[in-house]
Amino acid sequence: MKSKKEIIVETATNLFAEYGFEKTSVAAICEAASVSKGLVYHHFSSKDEILIAIYEQSTQDMMNLSSNDSEKKANEKLSEIINAVFQQLEDNKLFFKLNLNIMFQPSTRKILETQIKERATQLFIVVKQIFNEIDKMNSDVLSYVFISEIDGIALSYLSSFEEYPLQEMKNQLLKKYKND
Amino acid sequence: MKSKKEIIVETATNLFAEYGFEKTSVAAICEAASVSKGLVYHHFSSKDEILIAIYEQSTQDMMNLSSNDSEKKANEKLSEIINAVFQQLEDNKLFFKLNLNIMFQPSTRKILETQIKERATQLFIVVKQIFNEIDKMNSDVLSYVFISEIDGIALSYLSSFEEYPLQEMKNQLLKKYKND
Amino acid sequence: MKSKKEIIVETATNLFAEYGFEKTSVAAICEAASVSKGLVYHHFSSKDEILIAIYEQSTQDMMNLSSNDSEKKANEKLSEIINAVFQQLEDNKLFFKLNLNIMFQPSTRKILETQIKERATQLFIVVKQIFNEIDKMNSDVLSYVFISEIDGIALSYLSSFEEYPLQEMKNQLLKKYKND
Amino acid sequence: MKSKKEIIVETATNLFAEYGFEKTSVAAICEAASVSKGLVYHHFSSKDEILIAIYEQSTQDMMNLSSNDSEKKANEKLSEIINAVFQQLEDNKLFFKLNLNIMFQPSTRKILETQIKERATQLFIVVKQIFNEIDKMNSDVLSYVFISEIDGIALSYLSSFEEYPLQEMKNQLLKKYKND
DNA sequence: CATGAATGAGGGTTCATTCAT
DNA sequence: TATGAATGAACCCTCATTCAT
């Protein structure tokens, strides 16, 4: 059974994702979680702290996604990443929006500066290790390009109000990295 | 000489870009612009209205950037767009952040829904017209890819806390689209 | 006619005196002054600021009490001070209590540290100048004693729940300093 | 070994003295005493009750100070009281401040009304008995004066931010009462 | 005797907006 | 145009106290 603390985090995640961090009041979280304000502040020292907990949790989840199966070839690993990201993108669209919201809201960006840097660094390392196997001399640029390509599609997809050809974009990417 | 109304818009733009829309109070705008609250509400019916004015203005500016010189070849036009965007990206980094902030803050996104759609549509049309000259059958996908690639680099660049190899990424793009 | 700001200060003074600074909520001040919270924060940047305004005002009033009639003899001046203080003590008992409350509440004492020091210094100077005329060698000690004697009676009077022989104490003091 | 209850009282005393009663939360006491909230409320029915325990304890301690050696002469007893009080004043400055804090904080004053009255009465009786030996007709006034003189010095000393000539003031008092 | 999750009222403060001047 | 006093709802957070374990 879920603890009240877990319920609070989960509820807050949903509300932050739907309305944005700034526009979600602690009171709203309490009501949605059927919990008193006192309890929220018993578990978290501030509203910011809830956000930090959510973000760190999601970083953890993200890292657990990338399998470290070193048996596989580089291009297989890239395909795997692409598949995993696009899967997540479809399944947790709202959650990805939250991440962008956090990243580009100056106030939240400041709150999470440390954690954002940490995640970006780790992500880059994972990708670069793969490209090292492919082309050690240019692994830096290749990594930047790879990450940008995924980010770009995500951005277009998440910012679009209308239907977005996500599958087609994914296939384009898969094709490009198939023979690396 | 600038009108008071222009001063208000300009001041608000800077503050929104630096602190985010939600975190910028009307009082702060008034103080920074050396103007009374009454005057702000004389010119704008609400804080939202200021944001709308800023966004529409910036869409206008953006559209004026893309020359409609139909004499040029498609690949030249693409290069031109790439150059223009990267130039802006460097010159007005804060302003681009504001656009992302607006786009992924659910509250502001809702306020500007109409304007965001409009801008996206216009942008897509401009790009697609170019790709129609290159490969009419696939102009849709090519346009999406092109926009995503630019968006992706912008996103990586704007979200990075550290040095980002913007020039190198730009060169990669230019190279890719040179011979189209 | 009194300005709203003056009404706020006056109301706050009364409530602080009756219930203490910490135990008087801004909401209570608003209600008693028939004024909105917004207005209080329009005129004062914080609750502390109200306290500071009150304290500084009272220091001003206090200083205006001591006439600077340099024609008079030293012992006459002392008598005058004694009379003035005891008069105030009777008339504004609650206000003197507020001063003691502020002085010995660590939180308020810290808020007003600067102002408390300033007042104490000014007070000491005024008294010492008088004792300089009487006995220049010992004017420091004599000043301390004089101030302590008045403080002591005030303290006893203000802390007493029962009838306190204020007149008799005053006469004792007047008698002591009559022939200086 | 100290009982948990004693630790709570001791910790609370220190915190009340340093931050004031109102500004010290039960949670702060618990943390400082390394004790749970439950335990505090097991030993005391409310926060007020802790304050009462502290105050009554200190009254007890105070009374134990004054020796009842009826052999001694009146002026010796007075000297003894003066010496004892000034000793305490130096040793437990913070604790005396707490007493003044309590006395002039309307809320705490009300909580401890009974105990404050009781202590004042007992103190007055002790002093008056001594002055009865000296001048029965005027023992009331003499007692008030004596208490006020001590209170006054204590007040000046405790309210001063700077060095205060406590020793000198003490000597003045001792000299005055030496030949009574 | 001992813990700490849980409550709910109330604290100080911010802020978009209105309106008389 | 231009000012700034004035409003009131909402915000984040604190805290004494209770209670199941």
Side-chain angles (χ1 to χ4, degrees):
Chain A
M1 186 194 153
K2 276 177 200 160
S3 72
K4 288 269 176 88
K5 187 173 178 178
E6 287 166 329
I7 293 174
I8 292 169
V9 170
E10 212 168 89
T11 309
T13 304
N14 292 333
L15 292 176
F16 289 169
E18 184 160 5
Y19 303 108
F21 175 74
E22 315 283 5
K23 281 291 192 181
T24 302
S25 70
V26 175
I29 297 171
C30 293
E31 192 169 359
S34 301
V35 138
S36 70
K37 279 188 192 178
L39 189 61
V40 168
Y41 283 92
H42 177 71
H43 288 299
F44 302 92
S45 60
S46 69
K47 190 186 168 191
D48 287 6
E49 220 61 43
I50 304 177
L51 184 65
I52 292 173
I54 291 173
Y55 194 86
E56 291 186 335
Q57 175 68 48
S58 83
T59 299
Q60 206 56 45
D61 294 351
M62 223 168 260
M63 290 309 157
N64 292 339
L65 270 184
S66 68
S67 72
N68 279 330
D69 195 341
S70 53
E71 299 288 311
K72 288 185 179 150
K73 291 189 199 144
N75 59 358
E76 284 174 346
K77 288 186 197 160
L78 292 178
S79 294
E80 216 175 74
I81 290 179
I82 293 169
N83 279 313
V85 169
F86 277 77
Q87 191 59 45
Q88 285 294 312
L89 215 44
E90 277 188 304
D91 292 352
N92 300 314
K93 190 170 180 180
L94 216 48
F95 186 75
F96 276 78
K97 283 192 177 179
L98 173 57
N99 273 291
L100 286 173
N101 171 231
I102 289 168
M103 199 90 94
F104 293 107
Q105 185 73 15
S107 47
T108 50
R109 184 177 166 86
K110 186 166 280 171
I111 294 167
L112 291 171
E113 180 163 350
T114 316
Q115 288 83 355
I116 292 174
K117 279 181 187 164
E118 173 68 13
R119 185 196 282 186
T121 305
Q122 287 197 25
L123 179 68
F124 190 79
I125 289 172
V126 167
V127 173
K128 189 176 169 183
Q129 278 174 343
I130 299 175
F131 280 104
N132 272 340
E133 302 173 25
I134 296 171
D135 179 353
K136 193 141 197 173
M137 294 303 296
N138 298 308
S139 63
D140 259 23
V141 180
L142 291 172
S143 299
Y144 278 123
V145 169
F146 180 75
I147 292 173
S148 278
E149 282 171 336
I150 291 184
D151 279 359
I153 293 168
L155 180 63
S156 296
Y157 171 59
L158 295 170
S159 67
S160 168
F161 281 97
E162 334 211 326
E163 276 309 301
Y164 185 84
L166 193 60
Q167 282 308 319
E168 218 160 334
M169 300 305 281
K170 178 182 160 187
N171 292 336
Q172 292 281 331
L173 262 195
L174 284 173
K175 197 168 68 185
K176 170 169 182 187
Y177 286 102
K178 192 170 56 184
N179 300 318
D180 274 352
Chain B
M1 190 196 150
K2 279 174 200 161
S3 72
K4 288 269 176 90
K5 186 172 179 178
E6 287 167 328
I7 294 174
I8 291 169
V9 170
E10 211 169 272
T11 308
T13 304
N14 292 333
L15 292 177
F16 289 169
E18 185 160 3
Y19 304 109
F21 175 73
E22 314 284 5
K23 281 289 193 181
T24 302
S25 67
V26 174
I29 298 170
C30 292
E31 192 173 0
S34 301
V35 137
S36 73
K37 284 187 188 176
L39 191 61
V40 168
Y41 280 90
H42 175 77
H43 288 299
F44 301 92
S45 63
S46 71
K47 191 186 166 190
D48 288 6
E49 220 60 45
I50 304 176
L51 184 66
I52 293 173
I54 291 173
Y55 195 87
E56 292 187 334
Q57 174 71 46
S58 84
T59 298
Q60 206 56 44
D61 295 350
M62 223 169 259
M63 289 309 156
N64 293 340
L65 270 184
S66 67
S67 73
N68 280 331
D69 194 341
S70 52
E71 299 288 314
K72 288 186 179 150
K73 292 188 199 144
N75 59 359
E76 281 174 350
K77 287 185 197 161
L78 291 178
S79 294
E80 216 173 73
I81 290 179
I82 293 170
N83 279 313
V85 169
F86 277 77
Q87 192 58 47
Q88 285 296 312
L89 213 45
E90 275 188 306
D91 293 351
N92 300 314
K93 191 171 179 178
L94 213 50
F95 186 75
F96 275 77
K97 282 191 177 180
L98 174 57
N99 274 291
L100 285 173
N101 171 230
I102 289 168
M103 201 89 93
F104 292 107
Q105 185 71 17
S107 47
T108 50
R109 184 178 167 83
K110 186 165 281 171
I111 295 168
L112 292 170
E113 181 163 347
T114 317
Q115 288 83 357
I116 293 174
K117 278 181 188 166
E118 173 69 13
R119 187 197 282 185
T121 305
Q122 289 196 22
L123 179 68
F124 190 80
I125 290 171
V126 167
V127 172
K128 189 175 170 183
Q129 279 175 343
I130 299 175
F131 279 104
N132 272 340
E133 303 173 24
I134 296 169
D135 179 354
K136 196 142 194 173
M137 294 304 295
N138 298 307
S139 62
D140 259 22
V141 180
L142 290 172
S143 299
Y144 278 123
V145 169
F146 180 74
I147 292 173
S148 278
E149 280 170 337
I150 290 184
D151 278 359
I153 294 169
L155 180 65
S156 295
Y157 170 59
L158 295 170
S159 68
S160 169
F161 282 98
E162 333 211 326
E163 277 309 302
Y164 185 83
L166 193 59
Q167 283 307 318
E168 219 160 334
M169 300 304 283
K170 176 182 160 186
N171 293 334
Q172 292 280 332
L173 262 196
L174 285 174
K175 199 168 67 186
K176 171 169 179 185
Y177 287 102
K178 195 169 54 186
N179 300 318
D180 272 353
Chain C
M1 188 195 152
K2 276 176 201 159
S3 72
K4 287 269 176 88
K5 187 173 179 178
E6 285 167 329
I7 293 174
I8 291 169
V9 170
E10 212 168 88
T11 309
T13 305
N14 291 334
L15 292 176
F16 288 169
E18 185 161 2
Y19 303 108
F21 175 74
E22 314 283 6
K23 281 290 192 180
T24 302
S25 70
V26 174
I29 297 170
C30 293
E31 191 170 0
S34 300
V35 137
S36 70
K37 280 190 190 181
L39 188 60
V40 168
Y41 282 90
H42 177 72
H43 288 300
F44 301 93
S45 61
S46 71
K47 191 186 168 192
D48 287 6
E49 220 62 42
I50 305 177
L51 184 65
I52 292 173
I54 291 173
Y55 194 87
E56 291 187 334
Q57 175 69 48
S58 84
T59 299
Q60 207 54 45
D61 294 350
M62 222 169 259
M63 290 309 156
N64 292 340
L65 270 184
S66 66
S67 72
N68 280 331
D69 194 342
S70 53
E71 300 286 313
K72 288 186 178 149
K73 289 189 201 147
N75 58 359
E76 282 174 347
K77 288 185 198 161
L78 292 178
S79 295
E80 217 174 74
I81 290 178
I82 294 170
N83 278 316
V85 170
F86 277 77
Q87 191 58 46
Q88 285 295 312
L89 215 45
E90 276 189 305
D91 292 351
N92 300 314
K93 191 171 179 178
L94 215 50
F95 187 74
F96 275 77
K97 282 191 176 180
L98 173 57
N99 273 292
L100 286 172
N101 171 231
I102 289 168
M103 199 90 94
F104 292 107
Q105 185 73 16
S107 46
T108 51
R109 184 179 167 83
K110 184 166 284 172
I111 294 168
L112 292 170
E113 181 164 348
T114 316
Q115 288 84 356
I116 293 174
K117 279 181 186 165
E118 173 69 12
R119 186 197 281 186
T121 306
Q122 288 196 24
L123 179 68
F124 190 80
I125 288 171
V126 168
V127 172
K128 190 176 168 180
Q129 277 174 343
I130 299 176
F131 281 105
N132 272 341
E133 302 172 26
I134 296 170
D135 179 353
K136 193 141 197 173
M137 295 302 296
N138 298 308
S139 63
D140 259 23
V141 180
L142 291 171
S143 299
Y144 278 122
V145 169
F146 179 76
I147 291 172
S148 278
E149 282 171 335
I150 291 184
D151 278 0
I153 293 168
L155 181 64
S156 296
Y157 170 59
L158 295 170
S159 67
S160 168
F161 280 98
E162 335 212 324
E163 276 309 300
Y164 186 83
L166 192 59
Q167 283 308 318
E168 218 160 333
M169 301 303 282
K170 176 182 162 186
N171 292 335
Q172 291 279 332
L173 262 196
L174 284 173
K175 197 166 72 185
K176 173 170 179 184
Y177 287 102
K178 192 169 58 186
N179 300 318
D180 272 353
Chain D
M1 189 195 151
K2 278 174 199 159
S3 72
K4 287 270 177 87
K5 185 172 180 179
E6 286 167 328
I7 293 174
I8 292 169
V9 169
E10 211 169 89
T11 308
T13 304
N14 292 333
L15 292 176
F16 289 170
E18 185 160 2
Y19 304 108
F21 174 74
E22 314 284 5
K23 283 287 193 181
T24 303
S25 68
V26 175
I29 297 170
C30 292
E31 190 174 2
S34 302
V35 137
S36 72
K37 283 187 187 173
L39 191 60
V40 167
Y41 281 88
H42 175 78
H43 287 299
F44 302 92
S45 62
S46 72
K47 191 186 166 190
D48 288 4
E49 220 62 43
I50 304 177
L51 184 65
I52 293 172
I54 291 172
Y55 194 87
E56 291 187 335
Q57 175 68 48
S58 84
T59 300
Q60 207 55 45
D61 294 349
M62 223 169 258
M63 291 309 158
N64 292 339
L65 270 184
S66 67
S67 73
N68 280 331
D69 194 343
S70 54
E71 299 287 312
K72 287 182 180 156
K73 290 186 201 150
N75 59 358
E76 282 173 348
K77 288 184 197 162
L78 291 178
S79 295
E80 218 173 72
I81 289 179
I82 293 170
N83 279 314
V85 170
F86 276 77
Q87 192 59 46
Q88 285 296 310
L89 215 44
E90 277 188 305
D91 293 351
N92 300 315
K93 191 170 180 178
L94 213 51
F95 186 76
F96 275 78
K97 282 191 178 180
L98 173 57
N99 273 290
L100 286 173
N101 171 231
I102 289 168
M103 199 90 94
F104 293 107
Q105 185 74 14
S107 48
T108 51
R109 184 179 166 84
K110 184 166 283 172
I111 294 168
L112 291 171
E113 180 164 349
T114 318
Q115 288 83 354
I116 292 173
K117 278 182 187 164
E118 172 67 13
R119 186 197 281 186
T121 306
Q122 288 196 24
L123 178 68
F124 191 79
I125 289 172
V126 168
V127 173
K128 187 174 172 183
Q129 278 175 342
I130 298 175
F131 280 105
N132 271 341
E133 300 173 27
I134 295 170
D135 180 352
K136 194 140 195 172
M137 294 303 296
N138 298 308
S139 63
D140 258 24
V141 180
L142 290 172
S143 298
Y144 278 123
V145 169
F146 180 75
I147 291 172
S148 279
E149 281 170 336
I150 290 184
D151 279 359
I153 294 168
L155 181 64
S156 295
Y157 170 59
L158 294 170
S159 68
S160 169
F161 280 98
E162 332 210 328
E163 278 308 300
Y164 185 83
L166 193 60
Q167 284 307 319
E168 218 160 334
M169 300 305 282
K170 177 182 161 185
N171 292 336
Q172 292 278 333
L173 262 196
L174 284 173
K175 198 166 71 185
K176 171 169 180 184
Y177 287 101
K178 192 168 59 186
N179 299 318
D180 272 354

